[in-house]
């Protein structure tokens, strides 16, 4: 239903950047339609190129596609714009971990947890790398 609603929102307002981003991010989260996810999020960024959440979404879509170098570039931009966003810090940690940068991953996950202490998934990641 959400997919249908986002697609309808885009039809009604082709410049509705949030709809492009949310649909793309939703696909990235689910690990489906990843090429479309990247295209949708890039469209959102055409309308709002300095949006930290959109940059995170693009980085996350790249990460889910296995494109860790590209993901890192977007995540680094995102975290500079939104340094106090727990989700962005969590994603940054995932990218660092995938690249084998365990100490940097640990630092990002701890920052994420400091920002939002109720994240069980981040607590589990930190516990696993102890």
């Amino acid at each position: 239903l959400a997919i249908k609603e986002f697609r309808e929102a885009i039809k009604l307002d082709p410049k509705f950047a949030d709809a492009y981003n949310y649909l793309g991010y939703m696909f990235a989260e689910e690990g489906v339609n990843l090429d479309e996810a990247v295209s949708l999020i890039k469209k959102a960024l055409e309308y709002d190129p300095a949006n930290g959440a959109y940059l995170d979404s693009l980085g996350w879509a790249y990460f889910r596609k296995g494109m860790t170098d590209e993901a890192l570039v977007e995540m680094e931009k995102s975290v500079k714009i939104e340094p106090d966003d727990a989700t962005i810090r969590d994603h940054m940690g995932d990218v660092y971990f995938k690249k084998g940068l365990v100490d940097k991953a640990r630092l990002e996950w701890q920052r994420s947890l400091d920002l939002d202490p109720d994240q069980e998934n981040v607590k589990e990641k930190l516990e696993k790398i102890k």
Side-chain angles (χ1 to χ4, degrees):
L1 182 60
I3 293 169
K4 180 182 173 189
E5 294 297 324
F6 282 126
R7 290 197 193 281
E8 185 63 28
I10 290 167
K11 281 182 190 174
L12 291 171
D13 182 0
K15 294 182 179 180
F16 187 21
D18 281 346
Y20 290 104
N21 179 66
Y22 287 127
L23 182 55
Y25 183 75
M26 190 173 62
F27 287 151
E29 271 293 287
E30 295 298 319
V32 299
N33 304 334
L34 294 174
D35 290 333
E36 183 180 6
V38 168
S39 294
L40 288 163
I41 298 162
K42 283 183 175 181
K43 187 72 173 175
L45 283 162
E46 286 177 21
Y47 297 112
D48 193 356
N51 186 307
Y54 297 176
L55 291 165
D56 171 67
S57 295
L58 182 57
W60 193 239
Y62 283 146
F63 177 79
R64 300 289 285 187
K65 285 177 58 93
M67 301 169 65
T68 53
D69 291 337
E70 294 84 349
L72 183 58
V73 168
E74 301 307 325
M75 292 294 181
E76 286 175 341
K77 291 180 206 174
S78 178
V79 82
K80 284 179 184 173
I81 295 168
E82 300 283 345
D84 296 326
D85 185 293
T87 300
I88 292 171
R89 291 293 186 169
D90 177 26
H91 289 167
M92 187 72 158
D94 290 347
V95 172
Y96 280 142
F97 188 77
K98 184 78 169 182
K99 291 187 70 57
L101 303 168
V102 179
D103 290 337
K104 286 185 173 189
R106 181 182 295 113
L107 181 63
E108 292 300 330
W109 287 331
Q110 188 58 58
R111 285 178 179 155
S112 178
L113 204 54
D114 291 344
L115 292 163
D116 180 1
D118 296 327
Q119 300 177 91
E120 293 302 319
N121 65 321
V122 177
K123 290 177 187 175
E124 289 172 12
K125 291 174 191 179
L126 284 168
E127 193 60 37
K128 284 181 183 177
I129 63 170
K130 276 189 175 180

